[in-house]
Amino acid sequence: MKNSKDELIRLFFDEEAILFGRFILTSGGKKSDYYINVKKLSTKPHALKLIAKLMAEEAQKRGIAFDRVAGPELGAIPIATALALETEKPLVIVRKKPKGGHGTGSQLEGEVKAGDKVLLVEDVTTTGGSVLKAAEVLEREGAEIAAVMVVVDREEGAEEAIGAKYTFLPLVRVSELFARREEPQKE
């Protein structure tokens, strides 16, 4: 898995999915010197397949059994879809808000039955707030969260917040991206 993880880290730089400058983050309007755009990777077939493969391998390596794959809208949807295809497990999409005024009014797309073990995935975590809200929605429907897996953890509190309740598995930590940035570049 090490070579695949190295490849994923390399792709962040090759595809300019990590940028340095001044940015405002979604999580509470916080300012940051860097921006991680996993969506830029998840829209590229090769990178998306690699992410799904790494997530499936990590779940298997850790012995995480799950019946369904779920992701909150929007950034996690391609990742959850690719992982569902990779593992042949049904997909569940968690809406930010319940459907208003039409259809079933549900906050979930896809089926969740009481007792289903769900692997919840996310693109990037900062504080973990949005993925914890998605976990609550799934649990209200009777699901059990098998683990929370994320492509990149910004290492700003998500691991502690999510880890207090669930198994938390980041594929890449921001410190690993910074370490790669500081390596001398080969010519």
Side-chain angles (χ1 to χ4, degrees):
M1 186 166 111
K2 184 71 173 147
N3 290 339
S4 295
K5 182 175 177 176
D6 288 343
E7 182 181 356
L8 178 60
I9 290 171
R10 180 184 54 76
L11 283 171
F12 272 94
F13 293 93
D14 290 354
E15 299 293 340
E16 298 178 347
I18 181 166
L19 302 172
F20 298 92
R22 296 296 299 156
F23 304 94
I24 304 292
L25 304 178
T26 308
S27 55
K30 186 176 172 195
K31 293 179 182 166
S32 178
D33 294 335
Y34 65 95
Y35 179 69
I36 297 170
N37 188 355
V38 175
K39 292 170 197 73
K40 195 159 188 185
L41 290 183
S42 66
T43 58
K44 310 261 191 242
H46 172 73
L48 185 58
K49 281 182 186 179
L50 179 61
I51 289 166
K53 176 180 168 239
L54 284 167
M55 285 186 163
E57 288 174 358
E58 187 67 18
Q60 184 176 23
K61 182 176 89 176
R62 301 278 186 133
I64 296 168
F66 57 99
D67 305 304
R68 300 179 187 287
V69 175
E73 65 173 335
L74 175 74
I77 300 308
I79 297 161
T81 302
L83 184 57
L85 289 167
E86 178 75 19
T87 60
E88 297 188 4
K89 302 286 185 178
L91 172 66
V92 178
I93 297 169
V94 183
R95 293 175 175 274
K96 289 179 183 168
K97 297 177 184 166
K99 253 178 157 175
H102 62 282
T104 62
S106 176
Q107 204 165 342
L108 297 178
E109 295 299 334
E111 187 178 40
V112 175
K113 297 176 189 159
D116 279 348
K117 291 185 180 0
V118 175
L119 178 57
L120 181 56
V121 301
E122 181 64 290
D123 58 349
V124 180
T125 52
T126 303
T127 62
S130 63
V131 79
L132 285 170
K133 286 177 187 166
E136 289 172 13
V137 171
L138 289 160
E139 288 176 331
R140 277 197 306 265
E141 295 297 320
E144 295 174 26
I145 305 302
V148 174
M149 195 173 290
V150 59
V151 179
V152 179
D153 177 27
R154 290 180 54 97
E155 297 177 286
E156 295 182 32
E159 183 165 18
E160 294 77 12
I162 297 166
K165 194 165 182 188
Y166 309 109
T167 299
F168 178 68
L169 304 169
L171 291 181
V172 178
R173 296 175 190 280
V174 77
S175 56
E176 294 173 294
L177 292 173
F178 283 1
R180 171 64 186 257
R181 178 185 186 212
E182 293 166 8
E183 286 178 9
Q185 299 305 310
K186 296 174 186 149
E187 304 207 11

